[in-house]
Amino acid sequence: MPPSLIEAIQAFILACTIRQLRGQGAEHSSMLVHVTRFNLVQQHVHGQVRDYVMHLKQRLRRRIDHESVLSELRSLWNRDFLSTSDSVEKQTSESPHRTVTDWLEIEQALPDLLEQLDVRMINGTAKDALDYADSATGLKVIAIGGDKLARGLTLEGLCVSYFQKKKKMYDTLMQMGHWFG
């Protein structure tokens, strides 16, 4: 997997964990991954992402060789989440939700959050579905797909979008940027 996809998955995991710690654990959280419209490639990406998430779950749950995972997540937390949160707080006059700044609190919540995380392939041939209504505890899902996912489906609690498009497809990227804000 490209490093940018790994970082996007890590950002999603952190966002879900923070939402959980802020008392929003029963809310849905989604990540969209759209790298191609071809179903066979989507299957390959789905397998890679599923294996990566399973690897993270095992390492953090068993606490075997987990230090490097925690180090990567903490680095992302420090360089992106904290600075962005500080910037938003300075620009808004509203009182923010309970700010999670204690890394140890996040670290302790990560294994349980990862157990809730699901990776699904959503396209015309996939058997997976996004059953938000059936999830009373808040669905935490990484949805991998193509045009069906990017153009015809609402992802509840969308936290992270990962798109890979060729430069000549800039008009499509701009349109998708308008849809997702």
Side-chain angles (χ1 to χ4, degrees):
M1 287 192 311
S4 58
L5 180 54
I6 292 170
E7 184 173 306
I9 294 167
Q10 292 172 346
F12 178 66
I13 291 167
L14 286 174
C16 291
T17 305
I18 293 163
R19 289 190 75 194
Q20 184 106 9
L21 292 171
R22 288 181 177 171
Q24 300 170 359
E27 301 293 325
H28 304 299
S29 295
S30 301
M31 176 180 177
L32 179 149
V33 177
H34 180 304
V35 295
T36 182
R37 62 184 184 88
F38 299 110
N39 291 345
L40 289 176
V41 179
Q42 291 170 18
Q43 289 174 4
H44 183 68
V45 172
H46 174 263
Q48 287 180 320
V49 172
R50 185 192 61 231
D51 291 349
Y52 177 73
V53 169
M54 183 61 67
H55 179 73
L56 291 178
K57 285 179 184 181
Q58 291 173 348
R59 288 176 74 183
L60 290 177
R61 179 62 64 197
R62 295 177 183 162
R63 300 195 61 79
I64 298 172
D65 194 28
H66 64 289
E67 294 88 4
S68 62
V69 171
L70 291 174
S71 177
E72 287 178 21
L73 290 168
R74 187 171 189 167
S75 174
L76 179 59
W77 165 253
N78 288 331
R79 78 174 183 277
D80 189 4
F81 280 75
L82 286 180
S83 62
T84 302
S85 296
D86 289 343
S87 176
V88 168
E89 189 174 328
K90 288 176 186 174
Q91 293 176 12
T92 62
S93 59
E94 295 179 16
S95 175
H97 292 287
R98 179 177 163 256
T99 305
V100 178
T101 56
D102 182 18
W103 173 253
L104 292 177
E105 191 176 8
I106 294 168
E107 186 178 317
Q108 291 172 350
L110 280 168
D112 291 334
L113 183 280
L114 281 167
E115 291 301 321
Q116 299 173 44
L117 191 60
D118 197 9
V119 180
R120 298 187 188 176
M121 188 171 64
I122 309 298
N123 61 33
T125 62
K127 294 177 182 154
D128 285 343
L130 291 175
D131 48 353
Y132 291 109
D134 295 339
S135 177
T137 60
L139 189 62
K140 315 293 185 275
V141 64
I142 298 175
I144 300 164
D147 293 340
K148 177 180 177 180
L149 183 61
R151 291 193 175 97
L153 193 61
T154 299
L155 296 175
E156 295 190 29
L158 183 63
C159 299
V160 175
S161 295
Y162 183 85
F163 285 92
Q164 182 178 357
K165 293 284 185 181
K166 294 181 180 184
K167 290 179 186 176
K168 67 181 180 178
M169 300 295 288
Y170 69 92
D171 60 327
T172 304
L173 282 176
M174 267 177 58
Q175 183 63 43
M176 289 177 182
H178 290 290
W179 293 334
F180 298 117

